[in-house]
């Protein structure tokens, strides 16, 4: 394992959002496909599952339909329109959002409890991956299930068709989505307009459906149906899955376009469709089947299935891209080992592809589709990871309110407490489905959390063991001053996480070759708690003497390190670097597991496995391979 590691530097003043300087309307259109794809496909199954949970296999009565619909309506209003749109979107990190972005703000705000805030960030990131696995599986499957209405003769091919679509989607990731992403917004616009139109037409089936606007209808239903209320609430939560995307994609579009799209189109169309489904169910005397597709006229069934499938593919694409982005942030913040990050666009830095993550997601998604067989069964697996992630966001938001915004305790509690109680209610309701499938997302999140914890713990232990065995740089310089070695022309750059000690590669070079380059630079890659670092703040340089210098290259947690490019910036600032006369020295450590070194043996082996599968340091930092020298050492960990 290479000793290269970066460190999280001191906080820096916030910058403005880097969202593209385009018109709000154009950005709002772009946000439709990326931000609202997931929540926009929830009408395929959310109300269906909620009413089915209340009525079972029988035809639902009016109180069951109105009660379930009222819960769906108020979940959309309280969770999305109030919590996320009004409060969470304000907690941006230089315009960026998401679990790790708010975690970095909260760490600055809660300086006395950085470990607890870090754990919340680790937990939130792990829960996101549980969501990222289930969303493509349930979305695409629910769309293809429209064939049960549109083409019953081939409905038994639902699972194979869904598998084929999902495999194609994940295989296509390596080619990038820059070309087709331009149509995501317009296609999703059509989808929402169709949602709204279908619902508006069927509201006339039974206008009494508007009773669901009264929150007491939800309360009355829960009180009268205590035995199934929790299951219905858990199913109704499916209507707000995808709400986190408003915050995660904040940096891509900005707060104003996201809110414009939500209040101007998405929310009205969603409500029209849900209330249309409710009216259709009130007017129907049959058990709940596929109300979304049944509302369409016969001639529209096939086109609707095709449009729904495209919409769910777009929603899945947004989740997959979010997983890539979150993984890159986690790598930069030292929560995960280095991975091969492929840029699929020459103009958009956000267009990335991470093979390891892509194939892991595909394997898990296929197992879900095959194992559960239908969106109805997968709905039981959905919810726990999403509600858990929402609770983490609420807790981090409270820390930001108190430490960053300096709100008084009563005001912060007045906002955070109701949000937390709603999250807790949904989490409790979804937890009842643990043995019916909820264990899937919990298992995925737990595995990711274990990996993150092991990587953090092992990296910290490796750093401590390495530092204990290394010589202080000041002491080495003193020794070299009294007994100078032979010098060779050129510059040697030693990548290290600790510029106070002499890197292992430097000491081994002196020991074996008994020579030293005329110029030696100790280079550290530092990750600041901000999304991006401007070029004029990227370089920190300190001359120690004529032979030694310290160089720190600062990156944001959403940037990919490119050391040759950074050295060009350094050269522009007057720091002389000639790439063709510069050698890069890496300390590669061979790790040996031990019971006594600090971690349990099983965790040692897990850390070693993660280390072996980490991307090569020279590739990750984009070093010219012909100028890299690796010197090894053995460390018992």
């Amino acid at each position: 394992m290479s000793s290269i590691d970066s460190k999280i530097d001191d906080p820096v003043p916030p910058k403005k959002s880097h969202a593209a300087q385009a018109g709000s309307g154009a950005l709002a259109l772009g946000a439709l496909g990326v931000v609202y794809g997931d929540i926009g496909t929830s009408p395929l199954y959310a109300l269906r599952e909620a009413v089915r949970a209340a009525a079972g296999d029988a035809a639902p009565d009016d109180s069951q339909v109105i009660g379930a619909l009222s819960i769906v309506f108020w979940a959309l209003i309280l969770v999305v329109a109030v919590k996320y749109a009004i409060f969470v979107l304000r907690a941006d990190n230089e315009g960026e959002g998401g679990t790790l972005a708010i975690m970095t703000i909260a760490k600055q705000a809660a300086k006395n409890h950085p470990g607890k805030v870090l754990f919340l960030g680790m937990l939130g990131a792990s829960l996101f991956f549980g969501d990222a696995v289930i969303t493509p599986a349930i979305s695409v499957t629910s769309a293809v299930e429209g064939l049960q209405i549109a083409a019953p003769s081939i409905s038994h091919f639902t699972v194979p068709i869904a598998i084929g679509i999902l495999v194609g989607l994940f295989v296509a990731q390596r080619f990038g989505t820059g070309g087709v992403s331009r149509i995501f917004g317009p296609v999703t616009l059509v989808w929402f307009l169709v949602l709204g139109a279908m619902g508006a037409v069927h509201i006339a089936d039974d206008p009494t459906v508007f009773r669901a606007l009264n929150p007491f209808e939800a309360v009355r239903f829960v009180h009268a149906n205590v035995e199934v209320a929790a299951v219905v609430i858990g199913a109704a939560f499916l209507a707000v899955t995808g709400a986190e995307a408003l915050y995660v994609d904040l940096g891509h579009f900005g707060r104003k376009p996201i809110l414009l799209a939500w209040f101007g189109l998405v929310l009205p169309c969603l409500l029209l469709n849900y209330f249309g489904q409710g009216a259709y169910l009130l007017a129907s005397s049959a058990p709940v089947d596929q109300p979304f597709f049944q509302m369409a006229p016969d001639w529209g069934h096939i086109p609707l299935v095709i449009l729904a499938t495209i919409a769910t593919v777009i929603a899945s694409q947004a989740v997959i891209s979010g997983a890539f982005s979150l993984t890159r942030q986690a790598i930069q913040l030292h929560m995960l080992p280095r991975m091969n990050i492929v840029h699929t666009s020459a103009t958009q830095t956000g267009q990335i592809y991470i093979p390891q993550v892509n194939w892991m997601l595909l394997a898990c998604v296929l197992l879900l589709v095959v194992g559960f067989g239908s969106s109805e069964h997968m709905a039981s697996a959905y919810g726990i990871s999403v509600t858990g992630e929402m609770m983490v966001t609420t807790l981090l938001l409270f820390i930001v309110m108190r430490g960053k915004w300096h709100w008084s305790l009563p005001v912060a509690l007045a906002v955070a407490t109701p949000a937390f109680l709603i999250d807790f209610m949904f989490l409790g309701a979804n937890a009842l489905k643990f043995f019916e499938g909820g264990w899937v997302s919990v298992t995925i999140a737990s595995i990711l959390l274990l990996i993150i914890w092991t990587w953090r713990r092992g990296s910290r232990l490796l750093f401590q063991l390495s530092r204990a065995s290394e010589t202080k740089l000041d002491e080495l310089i003193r020794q070299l001053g009294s007994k100078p070695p032979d010098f060779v022309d050129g510059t040697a750059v030693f990548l290290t996480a600790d510029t106070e000690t002499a890197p292992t590669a430097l000491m081994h070079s002196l020991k074996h070759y008994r020579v030293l380059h005329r110029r030696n630079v100790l280079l550290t890659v530092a990750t600041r708690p901000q999304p991006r670092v401007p070029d004029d703040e990227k370089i920190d340089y300190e001359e120690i003497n004529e032979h030694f210098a310290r160089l720190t290259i600062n990156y944001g947690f959403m940037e990919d390190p490119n050391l040759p490019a950074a050295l060009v910036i350094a050269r522009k600032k007057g720091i002389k670097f000639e790439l063709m006369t510069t050698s890069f020295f890496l300390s590669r450590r061979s790790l040996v597991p031990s019971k006594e070194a600090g971690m349990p043996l099983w965790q040692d082996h897990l850390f070693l496995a993660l280390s072996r599968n980490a991307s090569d340091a020279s590739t990750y930092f984009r070093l010219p391979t012909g100028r890299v020298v690796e010197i090894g050492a053995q460390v018992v960990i």
Side-chain angles (χ1 to χ4, degrees):
M1 177 189 174
S2 169
S3 66
I4 300 174
D5 202 356
S6 15
K7 59 184 180 182
I8 298 179
D9 211 342
D10 295 329
V12 295
K15 307 275 172 135
K16 294 182 180 179
S17 170
H18 72 285
Q21 296 301 310
S24 294
L27 287 171
L29 177 62
L32 288 178
V34 177
V35 178
Y36 297 110
D38 188 1
I39 201 170
T41 55
S42 295
L44 289 167
Y45 48 80
L47 186 62
R48 179 194 75 192
E49 293 304 317
V51 176
R52 187 177 284 166
D57 295 331
D61 59 34
D62 287 8
S63 67
Q64 292 168 334
V65 174
I66 295 297
L69 181 59
S70 185
I71 295 172
V72 167
F73 171 76
W74 285 105
L76 284 167
I77 297 301
L78 296 176
V79 175
V80 189
V82 175
K83 174 185 168 181
Y84 279 93
I86 296 177
F87 294 106
V88 175
L89 288 185
R90 289 168 48 89
D92 67 289
N93 187 342
E94 294 189 22
E96 294 290 345
T99 300
L100 298 184
I102 195 173
M103 180 201 75
T104 59
I105 307 173
K107 281 187 70 176
Q108 299 172 41
K111 295 179 180 178
N112 295 330
H113 305 283
K116 295 177 181 178
V117 175
L118 177 63
F119 174 77
L120 286 175
M122 292 162 54
L123 179 61
S126 302
L127 290 167
F128 175 86
F129 281 100
D131 179 24
V133 168
I134 299 175
T135 294
I138 190 174
S139 297
V140 172
T141 304
S142 63
V144 176
E145 285 173 348
L147 292 173
Q148 297 171 5
I149 304 299
S153 61
I154 61 171
S155 61
H156 55 285
F157 290 112
T158 296
V159 170
I161 292 173
I163 288 174
I165 292 171
L166 288 165
V167 170
L169 173 63
F170 280 93
V171 169
Q173 296 303 311
R174 62 191 297 265
F175 302 107
T177 59
V180 297
S181 63
R182 297 186 187 92
I183 68 171
F184 285 1
V187 170
T188 312
L189 172 62
V190 173
W191 170 251
F192 278 113
L193 292 176
V194 170
L195 288 181
M198 287 173 58
V201 168
H202 281 277
I203 284 176
D205 292 352
D206 193 335
T208 64
V209 72
F210 287 114
R211 287 182 292 151
L213 294 173
N214 183 354
F216 289 106
E217 291 291 345
V219 175
R220 189 178 296 116
F221 170 80
V222 171
H223 183 265
N225 300 273
V226 176
E227 66 282 357
V228 296
V231 181
V232 175
I233 290 172
F237 178 78
L238 296 171
V240 298
T241 55
E244 276 283 316
L246 275 74
Y247 186 46
V248 170
D249 293 303
L250 179 61
H252 294 116
F253 303 100
R255 185 168 182 262
K256 183 178 178 181
I258 288 176
L259 294 180
L260 178 63
W262 172 252
F263 289 107
L265 179 71
V266 177
L267 180 60
C269 290
L270 286 175
L271 293 181
L272 282 172
N273 193 270
Y274 281 124
F275 276 81
Q277 287 190 50
Y280 175 85
L281 291 171
L282 287 174
S284 172
S285 58
V288 178
D289 187 14
Q290 293 282 354
F292 178 85
F293 291 102
Q294 289 169 332
M295 286 197 302
D298 291 343
W299 59 265
H301 285 155
I302 292 294
L304 185 59
V305 170
I306 294 173
L307 179 60
T309 302
I310 295 173
T312 55
V313 167
I314 291 173
S316 301
Q317 176 60 56
V319 172
I320 296 167
S321 298
F324 293 159
S325 179
L326 184 68
T327 300
R328 177 170 66 175
Q329 294 178 36
I331 291 170
Q332 284 290 77
L333 292 171
H334 314 300
M335 293 183 176
L336 290 172
R338 293 185 303 270
M339 298 183 193
N340 182 29
I341 298 175
V342 180
H343 289 261
T344 57
S345 171
T347 57
Q348 300 181 35
T349 58
Q351 291 282 339
I352 60 173
Y353 165 66
I354 305 179
Q356 297 98 314
V357 175
N358 188 66
W359 303 126
M360 179 198 73
L361 287 177
L362 175 59
C364 293
V365 166
L366 294 183
L367 286 173
L368 274 178
V369 174
V370 174
F372 286 93
S374 70
S375 63
E376 177 186 355
H377 295 145
M378 273 184 272
S380 299
Y382 216 178
I384 295 181
S385 59
V386 185
T387 51
E389 187 182 4
M390 288 183 173
M391 284 186 69
V392 168
T393 299
T394 301
L395 292 172
L396 292 172
L397 179 65
F398 176 74
I399 296 171
V400 172
M401 288 175 181
R402 293 284 292 140
K404 178 76 172 179
W405 299 343
H406 305 294
W407 288 11
S408 66
L409 182 60
V411 173
L413 286 174
V415 174
T417 302
F420 183 82
L421 290 176
I422 292 172
D423 293 338
F424 186 78
M425 175 187 69
F426 281 124
L427 179 63
N430 281 285
L432 296 177
K433 300 184 292 184
F434 181 84
F435 293 106
E436 298 173 23
W439 60 269
V440 172
S441 60
V442 173
T443 301
I444 294 171
S446 298
I447 292 172
L448 261 295
L449 185 61
L450 176 62
I451 289 173
I452 293 173
W453 174 52
T454 298
W455 184 253
R456 292 279 305 183
R457 187 181 184 188
S459 298
R460 185 169 58 248
L461 178 61
L462 178 61
F463 177 83
Q464 293 169 350
L465 293 172
S466 300
R467 188 171 192 180
S469 62
E470 289 174 347
T471 305
K472 290 289 184 183
L473 182 63
D474 292 343
E475 176 63 25
L476 176 64
I477 292 175
R478 226 177 356 257
Q479 294 174 8
L480 295 176
S482 60
K483 190 177 180 181
D486 293 329
F487 288 97
V488 296
D489 291 334
T491 301
V493 175
F494 296 90
L495 281 81
T496 178
D498 182 13
T499 55
E500 299 301 319
T501 61
T504 302
L506 172 60
M507 298 303 294
H508 279 262
S509 181
L510 275 173
K511 176 181 177 182
H512 294 290
Y513 305 132
R514 303 184 186 280
V515 295
L516 199 64
H517 282 73
R518 202 163 297 280
R519 193 155 175 255
N520 300 275
V521 178
L522 276 65
L523 170 59
T524 298
V525 178
T527 301
R528 286 188 175 183
Q530 64 189 88
R532 291 170 179 82
V533 176
D535 287 352
D536 59 352
E537 297 178 16
K538 252 188 172 58
I539 305 298
D540 294 324
Y541 186 75
E542 176 195 358
E543 287 276 1
I544 301 174
N545 61 21
E546 61 177 322
H547 297 300
F548 286 91
R550 292 187 180 96
L551 172 64
T552 300
I553 301 177
N554 303 296
Y555 289 99
F557 59 79
M558 294 193 70
E559 294 182 284
D560 297 324
N562 186 332
L563 298 192
L567 295 181
V568 171
I569 298 173
R571 194 162 52 194
K572 291 178 180 177
K573 296 183 69 172
I575 305 169
K576 295 181 180 179
F577 277 103
E578 294 296 335
L579 198 58
M580 297 311 296
T581 60
T582 299
S583 298
F584 296 88
F585 286 81
L586 311 183
S587 302
R588 178 167 293 277
R589 293 183 170 88
S590 174
L591 306 180
V592 179
S594 170
K595 293 181 180 179
E596 290 77 29
M599 291 196 304
L601 197 57
W602 66 265
Q603 200 166 31
D604 280 341
H605 285 291
L606 176 57
F607 180 70
L608 264 62
L610 294 172
S611 301
R612 283 193 295 267
N613 286 282
S615 294
D616 179 73
S618 59
T619 302
Y620 182 76
F621 290 102
R622 304 189 190 183
L623 298 175
T625 54
R627 309 298 307 174
V628 174
V629 179
E630 294 191 5
I631 298 179
Q634 190 177 83
V635 178
V636 178
I637 187 171

